[in-house]
Amino acid sequence: PRVAEPSRAAPPTARPERPYVDRDGRWLGHEGGPRDERYRADRPWPHGRFAGPIGAGHLHRLSGWDIGRHRFWFGTSLFLVGSADWNNVDDWDWNDDDVVLYDDPDHPGWYLAYNTRLGTYVHVEYDGPTQQ
């Protein structure tokens, strides 16, 4: 089943050390809050903000992965995976998984991309539109 609400997601079955959303809707692995320097942006949203819908109920189907730049896309939008999270996306299906984007409440300029199949999430930055 495709789940859009993290609060209804099961913890990931593989690699539970990755950031995930538990059955009670708690975002585990994000406890560092605003003090986590890995996600401090000197210039938040350098490519603008994502103009599409975000939050619960807004699924986006992944359409590809650029391994050299550590970025993915869906529709006409590109997203860079934060370097601290690169090891947390090796089990994502870049041509079929659904993600839900959330504003990161602790780190301006970042979004949290929640993988509905795995119940895990990573920090991403909007990288602008794809070249049509």
Side-chain angles (χ1 to χ4, degrees), residues 6-28:
S7 62
R8 297 178 191 196
T13 56
R15 303 190 177 146
E17 73 279 1
R18 294 179 178 197
Y20 69 97
V21 178
D22 73 6
R23 292 181 193 271
D24 295 323
R26 291 180 301 221
W27 293 71
L28 302 174

Side-chain angles (χ1 to χ4, degrees), residues 3-6 9 18-21 27-28 30 39 50 53-56 58-62 64-65 70-74 77-82 85-86 88-94 97-105 107 109-126:
V3 178
E5 297 282 343
R18 294 179 178 197
Y20 69 97
V21 178
W27 293 71
L28 302 174
H30 204 258
Y39 308 109
F50 175 60
I54 65 171
H58 299 289
L59 293 172
H60 302 280
R61 174 72 44 97
L62 297 178
W65 172 246
H70 295 95
R71 69 181 184 175
F72 63 84
W73 60 91
F74 54 77
S77 299
L78 297 163
F79 292 87
L80 296 165
V81 175
D85 293 350
W86 289 349
N88 295 331
V89 295
D90 62 350
D91 54 353
W92 288 34
D93 183 339
W94 299 109
D97 277 351
D98 289 321
V99 297
V100 179
L101 292 178
Y102 295 90
D103 278 314
D104 185 331
H107 308 104
W110 291 92
Y111 296 95
L112 299 174
Y114 171 77
N115 184 308
T116 63
R117 177 178 62 88
L118 298 171
T120 60
Y121 66 91
V122 295
H123 293 80
V124 299
E125 289 181 294
Y126 178 63

